[in-house]
Amino acid sequence: MRLSIPLLINPNAGSLFRSGLKSWLDAHRDDFSIVHTHSAEDLTEKAAQLAAAGEPIVAAAGGDGTLMCAAQGLMGTKTALGILPCGTMNVFARELGIGSRRFDVALDSMQNGLFQAVDIFAVNGKPFLQMAGFGMDARIIKLITPKMKRWLGAASHVVTAMQVAVERHPVITVTLPNGEAVSGTQVILGNGKRYGGEAHLFAGARYDDGLLDAVIMHQESTTILFEVLGCMLQRGATNRNVSTFTQLRRFESCVITAESKLDYQLDGDYVATIRPGESAVVERLPRQLKVCIPRVPVPVTAMGRFAAHPMVEAWRARIKRFGKF
């Protein structure tokens, strides 16, 4: 007899309804035992409790931020994280080949017995799974309101980017363990290839090699947007396809400072603002995370990557809703 999998869930999360997960769970009620949570801290604590009780798999429903909360309770344990991706971007689930809102694939990944160890990095002690951004992208995320995210979804990033594009951004300094210092106005760190959905920003990044990949851009706001887009269209940044204003690095740790206030984000959520004289210490944590992976990754063609981009999905959903009136 197959045992049900504990599933950490926020019953008030709107993504449960928007993604169709709630109705899908109604049809798969025997596969899961629902564990309600009421905060990020509560979710982390309950994940740790389930791991301590010897559960082989603990699942979490949500986006990248929710998954990170669950991961904090499971890192360094024998318990694997199962993923039901129902957030806006679902970048980490896409990186693992589960895809976005592919709940049948997600369930199969929890039942097939295949697992992957994933490195976990942290900024000033706060861990992240997939990516960290310092500068313009974090500023965009900081300005997105819950109402904008609810109505526009991933398209809210585009609306806010137009506002941020006219702002001046501070010079950021990334100091590496060998003493080298690299400066820019936008720094993006990747533990995997993807950034912002299916698009690849880091051509050679892996989540199990013990290293972070970094894209460091020393450009104005609008130019940064075009540089990021260009790298994505070419399946990730390499030394052959970036401009002379962009540098690539790979490291296990670094220290980040800035000439003036600097926002940063982890896994698509605004975290904090660094002030002059302060620093952000980036380092790999000693404990890895065990995750469930699919037998066959969700195939993604060039057109499929375009159609699966969260911004495209958001606009298609809005058009579909308008069509019902």
Side-chain angles (χ1 to χ4, degrees):
M1 178 180 177
R2 188 165 62 197
L3 299 177
S4 61
I5 300 168
L7 173 60
L8 301 167
I9 199 167
N10 177 1
N12 299 317
S15 60
L16 300 183
F17 301 91
R18 293 193 299 270
S19 66
L21 178 61
K22 188 177 185 300
S23 58
W24 183 87
L25 283 175
D26 289 341
H28 294 81
R29 62 180 72 246
D30 293 336
D31 293 306
F32 298 97
S33 55
I34 305 299
V35 180
H36 290 161
T37 66
H38 56 78
S39 68
E41 294 75 16
D42 184 46
L43 192 149
T44 298
E45 182 178 348
K46 286 179 176 174
Q49 291 171 352
L50 289 165
E55 291 288 348
I57 296 174
V58 171
D64 295 303
T66 298
L67 296 181
M68 188 63 255
C69 292
Q72 289 182 65
L74 302 179
M75 289 186 300
T77 73
K78 296 180 180 179
T79 301
L81 172 64
I83 299 170
L84 281 176
C86 62
T88 303
M89 294 292 190
N90 302 310
V91 184
F92 186 60
R94 296 174 192 266
E95 187 76 27
L96 294 172
I98 297 171
S100 179
R101 305 182 181 186
R102 300 289 293 268
F103 303 129
D104 289 333
V105 176
L107 177 58
D108 179 69
S109 73
M110 300 178 216
Q111 296 175 338
N112 65 27
L114 297 178
F115 307 102
Q116 171 70 51
V118 174
D119 298 321
I120 303 294
F121 289 83
V123 177
N124 287 347
K126 186 170 180 60
F128 63 95
L129 283 170
Q130 181 77 18
M131 61 181 176
F134 297 78
M136 184 178 179
D137 68 337
R139 175 71 175 155
I140 291 171
I141 291 170
K142 181 181 181 181
L143 295 179
I144 294 174
T145 65
K147 184 176 182 180
M148 287 175 62
K149 196 168 186 178
R150 185 168 60 253
W151 284 99
L152 297 177
S156 59
H157 290 73
V158 178
V159 175
T160 314
M162 290 188 289
Q163 175 185 347
V164 176
V166 299
E167 298 179 352
R168 179 188 178 277
H169 301 288
V171 174
I172 308 165
T173 300
V174 181
T175 304
L176 306 182
N178 63 4
E180 179 188 9
V182 186
S183 295
T185 49
Q186 172 69 61
V187 176
I188 305 173
L189 310 179
N191 193 28
K193 293 179 173 62
R194 287 166 175 78
Y195 175 82
E198 282 293 349
H200 291 193
L201 180 58
F202 309 96
R206 290 177 50 184
Y207 46 70
D208 59 353
D209 63 358
L211 299 172
L212 278 175
D213 282 48
V215 173
I216 304 166
M217 303 174 181
H218 205 321
Q219 298 166 309
E220 298 299 326
S221 297
T222 52
T223 317
I224 289 172
L225 293 174
F226 284 115
E227 183 82 353
V228 170
L229 180 60
C231 291
M232 288 178 172
L233 291 175
Q234 298 179 84
R235 300 287 287 154
T238 69
N239 286 319
R240 297 186 301 274
N241 65 21
V242 297
S243 72
T244 57
F245 300 101
T246 297
Q247 299 190 58
L248 308 180
R249 293 292 187 275
R250 182 171 289 171
F251 46 74
E252 185 177 345
S253 64
C254 71
V255 176
I256 295 177
T257 56
E259 62 175 2
S260 59
K261 292 192 299 183
L262 173 67
D263 298 322
Y264 71 89
Q265 57 91 3
L266 302 179
D267 288 328
D269 289 331
Y270 166 75
V271 174
T273 298
I274 303 169
R275 290 169 172 76
E278 299 177 342
S279 61
V281 178
V282 182
E283 58 188 345
R284 182 167 63 90
L285 299 181
R287 298 172 295 165
Q288 289 185 309
L289 172 70
K290 186 178 179 182
V291 295
C292 301
I293 58 174
R295 287 174 290 186
V296 179
V298 172
V300 184
T301 63
M303 183 57 70
R305 283 193 298 272
F306 174 80
H309 193 279
M311 188 177 73
V312 177
E313 289 180 338
W315 283 111
R316 287 173 63 188
R318 285 180 63 81
I319 292 172
K320 186 176 180 180
R321 287 200 298 270
F322 286 139
K324 293 181 179 180
F325 289 103

